[in-house]
């Protein structure tokens, strides 16, 4: 829900918090209360958060629906990584971990290799359009260039394991 906790400009140029609006419309099982007390994630594609906050928000919004405890990967296996925003990076299972689905001919590739997006499987799989390899596996066959650029910059900025 943290990705919806922010202002949105509605028709008629009315600006309001998205969660407050949805709550007002009765779209939640229980009232949410004050959105200021709830998690709020940075917009991955806009200034307004650190590079780390924006990258983690992107991973949460686009990847954590499968890559989390009890989530399912496209092949039905339980995930080995946890990309939810609130999970500390060192506990996410990404940093300096070998890929479990092959190296795709890239020497020294790791899931996330700090300082090297080119040797990070996270970026490699986002950049490909090959079925059963690309991430995300569903949603669109088009590479998200902005997402790739964001995560590449984030990984390149990780000089050492945080």
């Amino acid at each position: 829900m943290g990705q919806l906790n922010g202002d949105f400009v509605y028709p008629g140029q009315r600006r309001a918090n998205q969660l407050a609006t949805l709550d007002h419309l009765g779209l939640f099982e229980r009232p949410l209360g004050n959105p200021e007390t709830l998690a709020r994630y940075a917009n991955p594609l806009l200034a307004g958060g650190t590079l780390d906050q924006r990258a983690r928000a992107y991973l949460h919004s686009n990847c954590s629906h499968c890559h989390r405890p009890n989530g399912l990967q496209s092949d039905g296996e339980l995930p080995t990584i946890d990309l939810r925003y609130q999970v500390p990076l060192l506990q996410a299972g990404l940093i300096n971990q070998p890929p479990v689905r092959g190296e795709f001919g890239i020497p020294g590739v790791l899931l996330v290799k700090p300082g090297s997006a080119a040797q990070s499987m996270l970026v490699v799989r986002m950049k490909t359009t090959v079925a059963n390899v690309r991430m995300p596996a569903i949603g669109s066959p088009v590479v998200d260039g902005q997402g790739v650029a964001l995560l590449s910059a984030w990984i390149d900025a990780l000089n050492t394991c945080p």
Side-chain angles (χ1 to χ4, degrees):
M1 243 188 308
Q3 66 269 33
L4 295 176
N5 192 2
D7 285 351
F8 184 79
V9 179
Y10 293 92
Q13 299 305 304
R14 177 174 164 77
R15 178 183 294 271
N17 180 284
Q18 292 180 90
L19 289 180
T21 300
L22 296 171
D23 195 25
H24 175 75
L25 295 172
L27 297 177
F28 296 110
E29 192 172 291
R30 291 182 305 273
L32 292 180
N34 183 357
E36 294 299 319
T37 64
L38 303 173
R40 180 183 300 233
Y41 304 152
N43 184 323
L45 304 179
L46 298 176
T50 66
L51 183 58
D52 183 67
Q53 290 168 335
R54 292 175 29 234
R56 298 296 307 277
Y58 182 93
L59 292 170
H60 178 88
S61 297
N62 291 284
C63 310
S64 73
H65 55 279
C66 289
H67 294 286
R68 67 184 314 139
N70 300 315
L72 291 178
Q73 297 178 171
S74 61
D75 59 7
E77 292 182 20
L78 291 176
T80 58
I81 58 177
D82 188 350
L83 298 180
R84 294 174 297 163
Y85 188 89
Q86 67 272 24
V87 174
L89 184 57
L90 290 178
Q91 295 174 17
L94 279 177
I95 304 296
N96 292 320
Q97 297 298 311
V100 291
R101 302 215 189 294
E103 298 177 355
F104 303 114
I106 303 169
V109 72
L110 297 169
L111 292 180
V112 168
K113 185 171 186 174
S116 179
Q119 290 180 294
S120 295
M121 190 57 70
L122 181 78
V123 172
V124 170
R125 292 190 72 182
M126 285 180 67
K127 288 170 61 172
T128 187
T129 57
V130 176
N132 298 322
V133 174
R134 79 172 310 274
M135 285 287 133
I138 59 172
S140 173
V142 178
V143 172
D144 179 0
Q146 290 180 303
V148 168
L150 170 65
L151 293 179
S152 293
W154 173 64
I155 292 168
D156 287 340
L158 292 172
N159 295 326
T160 59
C161 188

